[in-house]
Amino acid sequence: MLPAVALQASVQPQQHMPSRSSISSVVVAIRDNRHMAIILVRAASPGLSDAHVHGSLLQCSSPLQLKRRVPPRSSGRWMLCSLRYACLGLDPGEIGRTSAVYSSLAVNPAGEAVVSSEQKVYDVVLKQAALLKRQLRSQTPPVLDVRPQQLDMPRNRLNLKEAYARCGDICEEYAKTFYLGTLLMTEERRRAIWAIYVWCRRTDELVDGPNANYITPTALDRWEKRLEDLFAGRPYDMLDAALSDTISRFPIDIQPFRDMIEGMRSDLRKARYKNFDELYMYCYYVAGTVGLMSVPVMGIAPESKATTESVYSAALALGIANQLTNILRDVGEDARRGRIYLPQDELAQAGLSDEDIFNGVVTNRWRNFMKQQIKRARMFFEEAERGVTELSQASRWPVWASLLLYRQILDEVEANDYNNFTKRAYVGKGKKLLALPVAYGKSLLLPVSLRNSQT
């Protein structure tokens, strides 16, 4: 856990804030009649300037008069939530009226802590970033924790070329816009992204595809064993062979792939998420992992001044944003399958219940709830934007296209008056076509880190 300074039930004035270079985090504790909310501010968060840190801190803790209205004693638990996932989406003064916690560390009164989902995922990010940095320092093929050996399947150029071509066909069929963007990438990077996409799609279809009703935990265990064989250079089929070849060429670790399978296990055993901390971990498993798999292939721009960790964090944020968007778009569809991918505590705070979701009636309570959920998803998109600019220029267009188009789904949910029970929000072909030149233009911009260093 990052070091933190607890300011018990009070707010330190901005003029006394430590400088950005002297702190990793600041904790502000604010008490209400149900729990202690401890807001974590990471000054070292990627893309955050001092102004962002101070401004968000003041936004989160601005109602200084709060402690005069609060009972002197508090029952219940303490909650720790990070700046990126907790403060944005709350208006000044809301701390005393709401207890929205986005990614939290539960701390009991005895001081015993449970590590938050955000911290668990950040540990994975650090590992992936370290792997890539080792390659960049050596400028030689990476030494992986699990490195493919000689492929058992025939590994001549013709077979691999056919395997990659098939991956490209599948990507083109199911992700046309993204596929178009990959055509600007170098051949090696393009083929590798196709191979990763296909493995992720096959994994997702285990629980969402036509045979989902027959999938058991044992089947997922077999799929994970097959993954391990793939990383050991023993691919089962042509599509596996393409990915096995890819991981021999790029510093790709097995952990995000394992974590995605764990997300599929979650879908088999879990249909409710009690808070955003749980939902965040699920979003990481099923979508954030894709970003961690892809960064080594996409590459970081040689002129970028950003840290490797910050680029991985932004890729993670894009995956989280995309999955949150999927969830908000598919509320009605998921409800018809008996699933609710919305934080139960936040539904209760909004005066909503599972029955309201199953009944599918748009009310003012539902609209207000959805506004906050959309605000959160857009915050993750904003974080992702900073990282996209740091990627290798030839790799940016498909990522920008994906980001812009997915973010427009949120606009369509709003245009449908938040009726995501019976109306499916989608971006029309015309808007998709308009987004492509915009994405291409953004792909030509200098990395944000370089622009900041020049000002």
Side-chain angles (χ1 to χ4, degrees):
M1 188 66 193
L2 291 173
V5 180
L7 310 178
Q8 294 296 327
S10 63
V11 180
Q12 187 168 354
Q14 180 175 349
Q15 59 266 32
H16 298 303
M17 282 284 292
S19 69
R20 177 180 173 84
S21 60
S22 65
I23 60 172
S24 294
S25 59
V26 175
V27 173
V28 178
I30 301 176
R31 186 189 301 267
D32 67 18
N33 62 353
R34 286 183 296 173
H35 65 268
M36 177 82 76
I38 307 174
I39 308 302
L40 171 64
V41 178
R42 282 189 182 172
S45 292
L48 289 179
S49 64
D50 289 341
H52 283 114
V53 172
H54 292 162
S56 294
L57 175 64
L58 293 177
Q59 177 185 355
C60 294
S61 53
S62 58
L64 301 183
Q65 71 276 20
L66 180 65
K67 61 181 180 180
R68 293 200 295 269
R69 304 198 306 266
V70 171
R73 295 190 179 183
S74 169
S75 60
R77 58 179 180 158
W78 294 9
M79 300 300 294
L80 182 65
C81 45
S82 80
L83 170 69
R84 289 177 293 171
Y85 308 143
C87 299
L88 291 174
L90 292 180
D91 296 324
E94 282 190 305
I95 290 289
R97 300 194 302 274
T98 68
S99 56
V101 176
Y102 295 76
S103 184
S104 58
L105 171 66
V107 185
N108 64 25
E112 299 168 343
V114 179
V115 177
S116 70
S117 294
E118 180 197 350
Q119 183 60 42
K120 292 176 184 176
V121 173
Y122 191 65
D123 290 341
V124 179
V125 167
L126 292 178
K127 180 182 178 183
Q128 309 311 304
L131 190 64
L132 182 57
K133 284 193 288 188
R134 286 204 301 270
Q135 184 205 29
L136 294 176
R137 282 197 301 267
S138 65
Q139 292 300 311
T140 58
V143 178
L144 303 182
D145 294 337
V146 185
R147 184 173 174 80
Q149 303 302 317
Q150 180 65 37
L151 292 178
D152 287 348
M153 292 183 66
R155 196 179 182 181
N156 59 58
R157 289 185 179 181
L158 180 61
N159 286 339
L160 279 175
K161 183 176 181 180
E162 183 181 353
Y164 279 119
R166 178 58 185 145
C167 290
D169 291 341
I170 295 172
C171 185
E172 182 180 16
E173 181 178 357
Y174 293 101
K176 291 181 174 59
T177 302
F178 182 78
Y179 172 81
L180 181 61
T182 64
L183 297 181
L184 288 183
M185 301 170 67
T186 65
E187 181 180 3
E188 187 178 33
R189 293 184 190 275
R190 174 171 67 244
R191 298 191 312 170
I193 287 296
W194 292 344
I196 292 172
Y197 171 84
V198 167
W199 186 88
C200 292
R201 180 166 185 85
R202 295 171 88 188
T203 303
D204 181 68
E205 286 192 342
L206 292 175
V207 295
D208 282 336
N211 298 315
N213 292 335
Y214 305 102
I215 295 298
T216 65
T218 301
L220 290 176
D221 291 343
R222 288 197 296 266
W223 186 251
E224 185 167 7
K225 177 61 171 64
R226 179 166 160 172
L227 171 71
E228 292 168 355
D229 287 343
L230 183 158
F231 264 78
R234 298 188 296 274
Y236 181 80
D237 61 16
M238 175 189 293
L239 301 179
D240 282 354
L243 183 57
S244 195
D245 182 67
T246 289
I247 61 179
S248 72
R249 299 173 184 275
F250 296 93
I252 300 173
D253 185 49
I254 195 173
Q255 188 62 49
F257 294 83
R258 283 180 171 149
D259 287 343
M260 177 172 279
I261 296 173
E262 185 60 31
M264 302 305 114
R265 291 192 180 100
S266 295
D267 272 330
L268 294 183
R269 63 174 181 255
K270 198 176 182 71
R272 301 289 188 280
Y273 293 84
K274 64 182 180 181
N275 54 37
F276 187 74
D277 192 64
E278 285 192 0
L279 187 60
Y280 175 87
M281 182 59 80
Y282 173 74
C283 290
Y284 159 69
Y285 281 149
V286 300
T289 48
V290 180
L292 303 190
M293 299 171 192
S294 302
V295 168
V297 176
M298 296 286 186
I300 299 176
E303 68 272 20
S304 171
K305 302 296 182 182
T307 64
T308 307
E309 292 83 1
S310 71
V311 177
Y312 270 97
S313 292
L316 168 66
L318 180 56
I320 300 289
N322 286 347
Q323 186 59 28
L324 289 175
T325 300
N326 284 337
I327 288 169
L328 298 180
R329 179 193 61 194
D330 298 337
V331 168
E333 180 181 329
D334 290 332
R336 287 187 284 276
R337 298 188 300 163
R339 296 182 172 277
I340 298 177
Y341 293 96
L342 298 168
Q344 292 287 301
D345 58 347
E346 294 177 28
L347 281 170
Q349 290 160 16
L352 298 165
S353 66
D354 288 0
E355 284 306 308
D356 293 306
I357 306 299
F358 293 135
N359 291 336
V361 178
V362 178
T363 63
N364 284 335
R365 285 182 178 180
W366 176 251
R367 292 185 184 94
N368 290 334
F369 173 78
M370 282 299 301
K371 287 175 184 177
Q372 291 304 313
Q373 302 303 307
I374 289 174
K375 199 172 203 178
R376 171 195 282 150
R378 283 178 173 150
M379 178 270 291
F380 279 100
F381 278 122
E382 289 170 5
E383 182 177 345
E385 278 196 21
R386 294 190 290 270
V388 178
T389 68
E390 311 297 338
L391 296 175
S392 173
Q393 184 174 325
S395 301
R396 292 176 202 159
W397 191 24
V399 184
W400 268 118
S402 172
L403 189 157
L404 295 177
L405 290 173
Y406 249 84
R407 190 163 57 188
Q408 285 185 43
I409 294 175
L410 298 175
D411 300 336
E412 298 302 323
V413 172
E414 291 174 329
N416 289 340
D417 192 29
Y418 305 99
N419 181 3
N420 42 7
F421 299 118
T422 60
K423 293 183 180 180
R424 182 178 175 87
Y426 67 94
V427 181
K429 186 175 292 185
K431 290 183 178 180
K432 286 183 179 180
L433 292 175
L434 288 174
L436 291 179
V438 174
Y440 182 71
K442 286 181 175 290
S443 72
L444 302 178
L445 297 175
L446 286 174
V448 167
S449 61
L450 191 61
R451 282 178 264 161
N452 290 342
S453 68
Q454 293 177 348
T455 57

